[in-house]
Amino acid sequence: MKTLAITRDEKKVRATVDCADGEVSIYRNCAFCIHCKGIRIGEKFYPSPQEAAMKNISGGVSGDEALMNAAMQFNSLAASATAIECNDDQNTGFRSRYQR
């Protein structure tokens, strides 16, 4: 497991990390990547909301709602995050969390 420090632009709108794929957005890439295991805010670790939602989905519309809520929770946490916890120790890069 590795900790990827988040870099923000001057306006604090864009948040990126150095991934095996290069510099990527935490909102567009990490949020939907199977390797993202959580968000670090200072010393505190928060597990990935999407991963927790995927484990609890039983299917149907409630599953869609659970994933949407998880995405919004990820974005809320990411606004003040300092790092992403990533288990891509083989440096394979982005892998979608939602592929079958």
Side-chain angles (χ1 to χ4, degrees), residues 2 6 11-12 18-19 25 42-44 47 49 52 67 74 76 79 87-88 92-93 97 100:
K2 54 188 170 182
I6 296 174
K11 295 181 182 179
K12 302 206 183 251
D18 287 325
C19 174
S25 167
E43 296 296 317
K44 186 136 173 117
L67 290 175
F74 181 93
S76 295
N87 75 348
D88 185 15
T92 58
R97 180 181 303 279
R100 289 183 176 188

Side-chain angles (χ1 to χ4, degrees), residues 12-26:
K12 302 206 183 251
V13 174
R14 184 167 157 80
T16 60
V17 293
D18 287 325
C19 174
D21 293 337
E23 185 178 13
V24 299
S25 167
I26 64 170

Side-chain angles (χ1 to χ4, degrees), residues 89-100:
D89 295 328
Q90 304 298 318
N91 286 326
T92 58
F94 176 81
R95 296 290 176 261
S96 176
R97 180 181 303 279
Y98 306 113
Q99 286 182 349
R100 289 183 176 188

Side-chain angles (χ1 to χ4, degrees), residues 64-84:
D64 290 341
E65 290 176 20
L67 290 175
M68 180 60 78
N69 288 336
M72 289 189 298
Q73 184 179 10
F74 181 93
N75 288 345
S76 295
L77 290 169
S80 54
T82 54
I84 297 290

